[in-house]
Every structure is written in structure tokens, then in C-alpha cells.
Amino acid sequence: MGIQNNIHETISSLTSAEKRAAHALLANYPSVGLATVAEFASEAATSAPTILRFVARLGFESYPDFQRALRSEIEAGLLSPLQKRHPDTHLNEPEPTTISQHVECVDQNMRTTLNAVPKSEFESACNLISDTKSGVYFLGGRFTDAIAAYMASHLRIVRPGIRRFNGQVSTWNDQILDIKPGDVAVILDIRRYQKDLLDVAKALTNRKVKIILITDVWLSPVSKYAKIVLPCGIETEHTWDSNAALFILAEAIIVSVTRANWNKTRKRLQAIEDLHWNKTE
Amino acid sequence: MGIQNNIHETISSLTSAEKRAAHALLANYPSVGLATVAEFASEAATSAPTILRFVARLGFESYPDFQRALRSEIEAGLLSPLQKRHPDTHLNEPEPTTISQHVECVDQNMRTTLNAVPKSEFESACNLISDTKSGVYFLGGRFTDAIAAYMASHLRIVRPGIRRFNGQVSTWNDQILDIKPGDVAVILDIRRYQKDLLDVAKALTNRKVKIILITDVWLSPVSKYAKIVLPCGIETEHTWDSNAALFILAEAIIVSVTRANWNKTRKRLQAIEDLHWNKTE
DNA sequence: ATTCTTTTGTAACATTAATTCCGAAAACAA
DNA sequence: TTGTTTTCGGAATTAATGTTACAAAAGAAT
């Protein structure tokens, strides 16, 4: 498959003007193909109809159809297969193991996340969580709830007013009643989005609660109600999505909020440490 | 420059519908931007005019103008800076942020972990957890307990006999009584090692329970009782240690165990999915 | 609650682009 | 050269897209 291959196979049966079109496209693939027919034509030093005939020969119904195909190639990352594999792992790859494969996968997702989360959004989120005047509530989905717990367990030390939605889904609505307008809710929801989370988000919005949503790049429907959306890469090659990027983002938030509340935190840290942790010896 | 940067700088001043547009574009950059306004709008769950306003905010004269800019980025090969490898992104480093710093830090720890965990140990651990003849119990420390919960929530779907130590520390000893000799316990413990975990480990060993320990590279004292030890990198430059590597290792275990039990899993997956997740609409 | 401001989508509009038609030019054969 | 076939591009047609104006809805402020 792949449009480029398609061109290579077809090119011999093309007329000379059409060949020019083919070469123009291959020359700087795929950008000219994403322009208008007229621009493509002028790039190939030919006329619009020739471009259309060319595209038809490749087997596309129409020019927009052809462009759609190009775009989906870009999405699929088929583009630049040279950059696809790391340039620096030349030879002596130490044979991929489950762990190393997963590490590479997480690496990808981390960087996707880095791209998808605007700095300003991240900072706004941290500011909201840092503000000790409002309470902060944590809630996650089936799998992401563990990450909510992780965040809460740290931030509890950093500042007061940290709460979690816990227990049965059916009790969530009761718990909402404790939340005051102006408070902050951090919701985690990745695909196979959970309807109950959406319902809670709606209810929270009605109570004027500011929602920070941590989700995947396709955005949970909760984003509709969220004041801040932090999208993460989660894709893998197998059954389970990876929540590692969410976890890492969560840690980054913890770091940032800790910095913001540092003066208050250090005392608490000391106190809680002495109190709670029992030394090994 | 670069349009993505442009978006990151502008996004904070956008209205919520416009933000959705921004996120939709960042989500799979740049392909949606190359589609028609209408398609872009539907992807961002908004209307065409919002897209146009969004594009205008980015400083483009018109939508075609905006698309031209995207195309010239593709030509310039600026595309996929996300897939770029870190060591060689010398030029145009986009200034380190809290997130990017943390990502680099986690990257380090991941690779440390990769070196520290012997392939054979990892596989043995997975084999133990895969064996449905014995129950598997999960227990973590103050912060790592969330990871224990994360593992359990997945593995519960993969196989029966998954349990967690839950609730108060004081009740743990009671819970040990339920565990049969030959069962498996996965314990997570990183520095500021917890004495109570050590106590549990000792008790478990007395009951002939096989312990899999996930810890840091300095090894929790629980390692004395553990059959298998999986050490992870956790170091950071600030207050908190990072548990990301543990999380990733946990995910790798989940993947591996899922593969081993795949035939049994797929049915359970389907069943539970239908039952538990309530569809969005 | 009421007003004002801001945001957002609907619908009409204007513009641009894709497509088709057809004749001219080129290529080839006799 | 002449007739025939194929290729190609100009120009009109049609379809689609981008754009704008305006009104409804949402939200903030009083």
C-alpha cells in the first residue's frame, strides 16, 4: 500500500504531462498534493485537468478523495519512515524485550503529551491546585483512579483541603454535596470514557466547580465541562492503553505545586515524616 | 517560530470553543488543519466560524493562508518534532518547562530500570503472576500503593484470584491469614522504606508465600525475603522521588501477563467491558 | 432577578476550487 | 502530406468551500 508505491506502479502507463505531475508530487511529497489543483498544476507545469486525470489514474474518485488519503497517511505516521526508527540505534540492538518495548512506547507517549499540553494550560492547572483557598477533589475512572489516588497522596502533604471521591459510584452524588462553589476538581478520564464521570462533571459544573481534566489526545467528553484540559498520549500496540503519560503528568503537577507551596510544605513534610513513617531501624 | 508554538502561546487567551479547536489540531497535527473548515469543525465539535476565528487569532489572514503555512512546515520537515530523539534536538530547544524536565528525568529512570531489571527476573515474575493456580496479592507503601491498585485493577480482568491488601495497616496481619502457602505477593516499597511492609513481608515468608518485590535500585530491606526483586530508577533533582519507572514496569508486567493468559482474558475482557463500562451515549 | 457583555452557532452570501466539455495541438501511421 | 488517434489545456459549468452578518445563548456583573 501507500500512495507513493501506487505512483511507482502506475507511472509507466502515464502520459508525459501526467508523469510530470507524478514527479512533481514525488519531488516534495506530499505537500503539493495538499494544495489546490491549480497550484499543483502550476508546480507540475501543466494544466488542472491533467492533474485530475492523473489522480483518477491512481484510482481516486475525486481530488478531495485523493487529499483525504494523503492526510490519513500523515496521521498514520507513514510519512517520513526514515525518521520513524531512531537514527541512533544503528546496529547492536539488544533484542527487544517486553520491558524495552514498553519503555519505547511510553517514551513516544511522553513526547506526544509534551506536545499536546500547552505550557500555559499546565501552569493554570497548577495554580488552581496550589490555591489553598479552595478545596481540591480527585476523581478517576476504572484504571485512572489509581493515579488520582497517587496525586492525592502527595498533595495531601503539600497542602490542606485535598479530598478524593472514593467508594461506590452510587455515592459520588452525595459526595458532591460537600463541595463548595469555586472549589477545584481534578478528573481523569481516558477512552472507553465512562459515562458516570461525565455525569459527575456535569453536576460539578452546575455547582460552579472548576474542572481540570486529564485525558487522552482524543479528549473525553468531559472536556465540554472542563476549565482546563490536559491531553496525554496513551497509545500502544496491544490490548491496553498506557496510562504512564498521565502518571508522569501527574508527577509533574505534584512537583510544580510543591514548589509553589514550598514554605508551607517543608514543615508539613518534616512533621508528617516523623509521625507517619516508621523508621526501618 | 512554528505553528505549534504559536498555538501554545495563544491558547490561554482563547475562548473555550476555540480551545477545543486548538486541542483538536494539536491532537493529530497537522492533518486536521489540512482538511476543510467544516471537517475541522466537526473534529473539534464546534462550528465553522469558530475555526475561522481560531485561525484568525493565530494571526493568519484566511484559512487558505493558514493551510499554506501548514504545508510549508511539512515541506520544511518541521513535522514530527515529537518523534524526534532527545539527544539530537540541540537547536531550537523550546526552553525547559516543569513537564519537559520531568519527562527527561523519567526517561533517565526508565533506562536505568531497563538496565537494572534482568530479563530473566522479569519473566519469572510474570510467570508467577500468570499462574492461575495460586492467588496473587498486591501491597504498596504510602505512595506506591496507588501503583499496586493500578496493577490489581488490570490483572483482575486478566485472571481470577487477584487481591489487594487494603485499609488500615493494623488490619494487614488479619488479611495475611487468608493467604495460602504457595500464593504470590507483589510488594512495592521504595526508599523511606516502611517498616510495616517489612513486617508483612516477614510474616508472608513464614507462610511460604512467594514475594515479588518492586523497589528502587538501593533495594528495600524487603529484598531479604523476596524471591524476585525488580529494581527501578527513581531519582529526581527535587523533593519527591519519581515512581514513574515503577508504574511503567507495572504496565510491562500487565502486558506480559495479559499475553500469557490471552485466551482466557479475551472473553473476560469482552464480558466485563459490556457489563462494567457504561457507554457514553 | 436583570442587564450588559461575551461567546457561539445558524443561515445566507460570496468566493474559490473542482470538474466537464470541447476544440486545438501534437504524435503517429499510412 | 493527409488522415487518424491521442494528448492536452482553455473556458464554461457546477459544486464546494470559506466568509460574513446576525441572532440566540451563555456568562458576568450589578
Side-chain angles (χ1 to χ4, degrees):
Chain A
M1 285 291 173
I3 296 175
Q4 300 196 61
N5 293 354
N6 195 346
I7 296 171
H8 283 115
E9 288 167 16
T10 320
I11 202 166
S12 56
S13 68
L14 297 176
T15 67
S16 77
E18 285 164 3
K19 269 182 199 162
R20 281 209 305 282
H23 284 122
L25 178 55
L26 291 173
N28 46 7
Y29 189 85
S31 62
V32 277
L34 297 163
T36 66
V37 176
E39 283 183 60
F40 191 161
S42 102
E43 196 72 26
T46 183
S47 66
T50 300
I51 301 299
L52 295 174
R53 281 187 285 261
F54 163 64
V55 168
R57 297 269 185 122
L58 291 178
F60 295 100
E61 292 284 338
S62 67
Y63 193 72
D65 186 31
F66 160 71
Q67 290 190 315
R68 252 186 296 277
L70 285 178
R71 270 185 278 122
S72 61
E73 267 198 2
I74 293 176
E75 268 179 76
L78 279 175
L79 190 55
S80 67
L82 44 149
Q83 295 175 348
K84 189 76 178 180
R85 272 292 153 223
H86 358 268
D88 37 8
T89 50
H90 2 299
L91 321 172
N92 78 339
E93 295 206 24
E95 90 205 70
T97 63
T98 303
I99 309 183
S100 72
Q101 281 177 344
H102 193 63
V103 162
E104 293 308 324
C105 165
V106 169
D107 193 272
Q108 279 283 120
N109 282 329
M110 284 198 311
R111 318 230 164 242
T112 301
T113 305
L114 218 47
N115 244 38
V117 175
K119 189 184 168 201
S120 60
E121 293 281 281
F122 176 80
E123 283 170 359
S124 308
C126 293
N127 288 338
L128 280 181
I129 298 174
S130 298
D131 182 8
T132 50
K133 283 196 291 294
S134 44
V136 182
Y137 294 75
F138 290 87
L139 176 60
R142 180 164 173 79
F143 300 125
T144 48
D145 196 51
I147 298 175
Y150 184 78
M151 290 185 83
S153 68
H154 281 84
L155 293 174
R156 241 191 280 278
I157 297 173
V158 176
R159 51 155 290 179
I162 298 289
R163 291 282 149 68
R164 271 185 68 202
F165 279 73
N166 44 22
Q168 297 292 354
V169 175
S170 52
T171 68
W172 287 356
N173 279 311
D174 305 338
Q175 300 182 40
I176 291 176
L177 299 177
D178 295 337
I179 306 183
K180 297 192 302 290
D183 278 353
V184 175
V186 177
I187 299 180
L188 295 96
D189 188 30
I190 67 166
R191 70 177 167 191
R192 301 347 293 302
Y193 308 112
Q194 290 182 228
K195 179 154 185 308
D196 33 36
L197 289 179
L198 187 63
D199 296 338
V200 171
K202 192 173 186 177
L204 287 170
T205 304
N206 289 339
R207 285 186 69 88
K208 309 287 181 207
V209 172
K210 298 169 201 151
I211 294 177
I212 297 170
L213 172 67
I214 299 177
T215 182
D216 55 50
V217 291
W218 301 282
L219 302 192
S220 150
V222 172
S223 60
K224 203 166 122 189
Y225 302 110
K227 191 174 178 67
I228 293 170
V229 179
L230 306 173
C232 301
I234 61 165
E235 242 169 339
T236 70
E237 288 156 355
H238 47 258
T239 319
W240 306 107
D241 287 322
S242 168
N243 288 287
L246 310 222
F247 189 90
I248 291 159
L249 182 65
E251 284 197 334
I253 291 173
I254 292 167
V255 170
S256 185
V257 173
T258 302
R259 284 217 190 93
N261 294 46
W262 182 237
N263 282 330
K264 299 158 200 161
T265 302
R266 59 187 314 167
K267 296 168 204 143
R268 281 173 149 260
L269 240 178
Q270 197 58 50
I272 294 184
E273 196 163 281
D274 294 345
L275 183 75
H276 190 97
W277 276 312
N278 15 32
K279 294 282 165 34
T280 302
E281 49 183 0
Chain B
M1 280 297 171
I3 296 175
Q4 299 196 61
N5 293 354
N6 194 348
I7 296 171
H8 282 111
E9 287 166 19
T10 318
I11 199 163
S12 55
S13 68
L14 296 177
T15 67
S16 79
E18 286 164 0
K19 269 185 202 163
R20 282 210 304 283
H23 281 124
L25 178 55
L26 290 173
N28 43 11
Y29 188 86
S31 58
V32 276
L34 296 163
T36 65
V37 176
E39 282 184 61
F40 191 162
S42 100
E43 196 71 25
T46 182
S47 66
T50 301
I51 300 298
L52 294 174
R53 283 188 283 262
F54 162 64
V55 169
R57 299 262 188 133
L58 292 178
F60 295 98
E61 291 286 336
S62 67
Y63 192 73
D65 185 31
F66 160 72
Q67 290 190 315
R68 254 186 295 278
L70 285 179
R71 272 184 278 122
S72 61
E73 266 198 3
I74 293 176
E75 272 179 71
L78 278 175
L79 184 59
S80 70
L82 53 145
Q83 294 170 351
K84 260 282 162 46
R85 255 26 197 74
H86 24 125
D88 39 12
T89 51
H90 19 356
L91 32 149
N92 76 345
E93 291 211 25
E95 86 207 76
T97 63
T98 302
I99 310 185
S100 72
Q101 282 176 342
H102 193 63
V103 161
E104 295 309 324
C105 164
V106 169
D107 194 275
Q108 277 285 117
N109 283 328
M110 283 199 312
R111 318 235 166 239
T112 300
T113 305
L114 218 47
N115 285 340
V117 175
K119 192 184 168 201
S120 59
E121 291 282 282
F122 177 80
E123 283 170 359
S124 306
C126 293
N127 287 339
L128 280 181
I129 299 173
S130 299
D131 182 9
T132 50
K133 283 196 291 295
S134 45
V136 182
Y137 294 77
F138 289 87
L139 174 60
R142 181 164 173 79
F143 299 126
T144 49
D145 196 50
I147 299 175
Y150 185 78
M151 290 185 83
S153 68
H154 280 85
L155 293 174
R156 242 190 279 279
I157 298 174
V158 176
R159 50 154 292 179
I162 297 290
R163 292 283 149 68
R164 269 185 69 202
F165 279 75
N166 45 22
Q168 297 293 349
V169 175
S170 52
T171 68
W172 285 357
N173 278 311
D174 306 337
Q175 298 182 40
I176 290 175
L177 299 176
D178 294 336
I179 306 182
K180 296 194 302 291
D183 278 353
V184 175
V186 177
I187 298 180
L188 294 96
D189 188 31
I190 67 167
R191 69 178 168 190
R192 306 340 299 298
Y193 308 113
Q194 291 181 228
K195 179 152 183 308
D196 35 34
L197 288 179
L198 187 62
D199 296 339
V200 172
K202 191 172 184 178
L204 287 170
T205 305
N206 289 339
R207 286 186 68 89
K208 308 286 181 210
V209 172
K210 297 169 202 151
I211 295 177
I212 297 170
L213 172 68
I214 300 178
T215 182
D216 55 51
V217 290
W218 301 283
L219 302 194
S220 150
V222 173
S223 59
K224 207 166 110 185
Y225 302 109
K227 190 175 174 70
I228 294 170
V229 178
L230 306 173
C232 302
I234 61 165
E235 241 170 337
T236 71
E237 288 156 355
H238 48 259
T239 320
W240 306 108
D241 288 321
S242 168
N243 288 287
L246 310 222
F247 189 90
I248 291 159
L249 182 65
E251 284 197 334
I253 291 173
I254 292 166
V255 170
S256 184
V257 173
T258 303
R259 284 218 189 93
N261 294 46
W262 181 239
N263 282 331
K264 299 159 201 162
T265 302
R266 59 188 313 166
K267 295 167 205 146
R268 280 171 148 263
L269 240 178
Q270 195 58 48
I272 294 185
E273 196 163 279
D274 294 347
L275 184 76
H276 188 97
W277 276 313
N278 16 30
K279 294 281 163 41
T280 303
E281 50 183 2

